[in-house]
Amino acid sequence: MANAPALTRLDGSPVRVLVVDDESNLTELLSMALRYEGWEIRTAATGNSAVRTAKEFSPDAVVLDMMLPDFDGLEVLRRMRDTDPNLPVLFLTAKDAVEDRVAGLTAGGDDYVTKPFSLEEVVARVRALIRRSVQLVEETSSVLRVGDLSLDEDSHEVIRDGAEISLTATEFELLRFMMRNPKRVLSKAQILDRVWHYDFGGQANVVELYISYLRKKIDAGRDPMIHTMRGAGYVLKPAK
């Protein structure tokens, strides 16, 4: 996923995806995977909240579970399409529910995946739907930019305000994750999962340690870009 070209709207704003499922753990995992693409994500756990959120959020695509507490995904699709007839929808269905898949596609769903699924597959299918359906800019450059900070994913060059900054491999991965999610609060658990790929348990302070390393290199003598949100995590945003 990290090597795929970034997608943005024509105005340069992030692609928007609405994730609808009443399983909170699944929703959180899907949201994390999609946010890692640099997209803006909203979630809903019921059909009513999904329809309401879609009207407010104007998503570019929807990941929609067929089974919801109040009414099913087909009714959600119908109501969303009343507002946006061309909205791309990826259905999530039970592994053995063949009739659900047929009904979903017959009703106008664009694609489906069966549970259990891999996060990579969902991201790839959502990306394909968006590229087919939405006016986008596909950024093939390997350079991430936030304010006066740039990071080249190919050459591993990091530059702030014209000055090159030398990072270790782990510092680079941490900064890359934060730059792929600018202005988003990232929890220690999210950072551990994405940068270290497993849970440090009681050693979660390794995140604090590497954040402090980054601050000394990125923010030293400059307006800070890395901020601590007490009780929530860390956020990287352009300096004021």
Side-chain angles (χ1 to χ4, degrees):
M1 288 190 297
N3 294 326
L7 299 179
T8 65
R9 289 177 156 191
L10 288 178
D11 63 1
S13 63
V15 164
R16 298 177 180 180
V17 180
L18 173 60
V19 178
V20 185
D21 199 299
D22 61 340
E23 296 180 50
S24 58
N25 290 341
L26 180 59
T27 302
E28 183 176 352
L29 285 172
L30 282 170
S31 298
M32 284 177 58
L34 295 168
R35 285 194 178 102
Y36 191 62
E37 297 297 304
W39 302 341
E40 186 174 352
I41 309 301
R42 295 277 179 88
T43 63
T46 67
N48 273 315
S49 62
V51 174
R52 184 174 61 252
T53 302
K55 288 181 180 178
E56 299 168 354
F57 185 48
S58 298
D60 299 304
V62 179
V63 179
L64 177 60
D65 189 25
M66 285 290 289
M67 300 298 294
L68 295 168
D70 45 1
F71 46 86
D72 65 23
L74 299 180
E75 178 63 16
V76 176
L77 174 64
R78 187 187 67 76
R79 297 189 189 188
M80 287 181 175
R81 288 274 173 83
D82 283 345
T83 302
D84 184 353
N86 299 313
L87 179 62
V89 172
L90 171 71
F91 275 118
L92 305 179
T93 71
K95 186 174 183 179
D96 56 351
V98 176
E99 66 277 9
D100 282 351
R101 300 198 293 272
V102 173
L105 295 176
T106 302
D110 299 280
D111 200 356
Y112 68 87
V113 293
T114 56
K115 299 178 179 180
F117 49 75
S118 73
L119 294 176
E120 289 80 4
E121 179 184 10
V122 174
V123 171
R125 287 176 180 266
V126 172
R127 173 179 283 273
L129 286 183
I130 292 171
R131 289 180 65 183
R132 290 203 303 264
S133 308
V134 185
Q135 286 190 309
L136 301 163
V137 173
E138 185 159 1
E139 180 55 68
T140 57
S141 170
S142 63
V143 179
L144 303 175
R145 288 188 175 84
V146 178
D148 62 355
L149 178 66
S150 66
L151 177 150
D152 191 317
E153 295 182 290
D154 290 341
S155 69
H156 281 214
E157 287 181 320
V158 177
I159 296 173
R160 182 165 183 199
D161 194 24
E164 189 167 348
I165 297 168
S166 177
L167 300 179
T168 67
T170 302
E171 290 166 353
F172 180 86
E173 287 302 322
L174 174 56
L175 182 60
R176 171 156 61 179
F177 181 44
M178 298 185 80
M179 290 184 71
R180 280 180 167 267
N181 295 274
K183 300 182 182 179
R184 297 189 185 282
V185 178
L186 303 172
S187 70
K188 289 181 182 178
Q190 287 174 309
I191 294 172
L192 279 171
D193 179 67
R194 182 57 64 177
V195 179
W196 280 271
H197 304 295
Y198 62 92
D199 186 2
F200 264 67
Q203 300 182 42
N205 62 346
V206 69
V207 176
E208 298 174 20
L209 185 63
Y210 272 85
I211 288 287
S212 72
Y213 292 160
L214 267 189
R215 279 187 168 130
K216 289 175 183 176
K217 295 183 177 183
I218 300 298
D219 290 342
R222 307 178 178 96
D223 291 334
M225 295 183 68
I226 302 171
H227 303 269
T228 300
M229 309 300 288
R230 292 197 178 278
Y234 303 95
V235 61
L236 182 140
K237 55 187 177 181
K240 294 181 180 178

